[in-house]
Amino acid sequence: MKIMTCPLNGPRPVSEFFYWGEVRPMPDPASCDDATWADYVFNRNGAPGVKREWWCHTPSNTWFIAERDTAKDVVLRTYFHEGDA
């Protein structure tokens, strides 16, 4: 069984988590052109390597960031998002 560590609940079976996608900066929709917005919405970086990804522990609805090596399928660390403050 694969285990992922939730920053709030500790080690849990990976079946309790939901993947939401890579952490990426969002362009300002009010000031960017259509090509930039379309690139943000539709294109993803699929190259193998270390990625920062959004994950949710579904039983507790806890959202956090996981740094994961997609080439080796190994979670390097998990932590809460610190926001833009």
Side-chain angles (χ1 to χ4, degrees), residues 26 34 64 76:
M26 183 176 83
D34 289 344
F64 61 93
L76 305 172

Side-chain angles (χ1 to χ4, degrees), residues 53-67:
E53 303 170 329
W54 284 107
W55 284 83
C56 179
H57 180 241
T58 53
S60 65
N61 197 32
T62 302
W63 285 92
F64 61 93
I65 307 293
E67 287 184 8

Side-chain angles (χ1 to χ4, degrees), residues 1-75:
M1 173 187 308
K2 290 183 94 172
I3 302 293
M4 181 180 275
T5 301
C6 174
L8 179 66
N9 300 293
R12 306 298 304 159
V14 74
S15 61
E16 293 185 8
F17 295 90
F18 182 80
Y19 168 78
W20 192 251
E22 188 173 1
V23 175
R24 304 179 301 143
M26 183 176 83
D28 180 4
S31 63
C32 72
D33 61 13
D34 289 344
T36 302
W37 186 251
D39 182 61
Y40 172 75
V41 171
F42 297 111
N43 295 322
R44 303 288 185 267
N45 177 8
V50 176
K51 310 280 186 180
R52 292 177 59 233
E53 303 170 329
W54 284 107
W55 284 83
C56 179
H57 180 241
T58 53
S60 65
N61 197 32
T62 302
W63 285 92
F64 61 93
I65 307 293
E67 287 184 8
R68 189 169 68 94
D69 186 335
T70 60
K72 299 175 183 174
D73 193 22
V74 174
V75 176

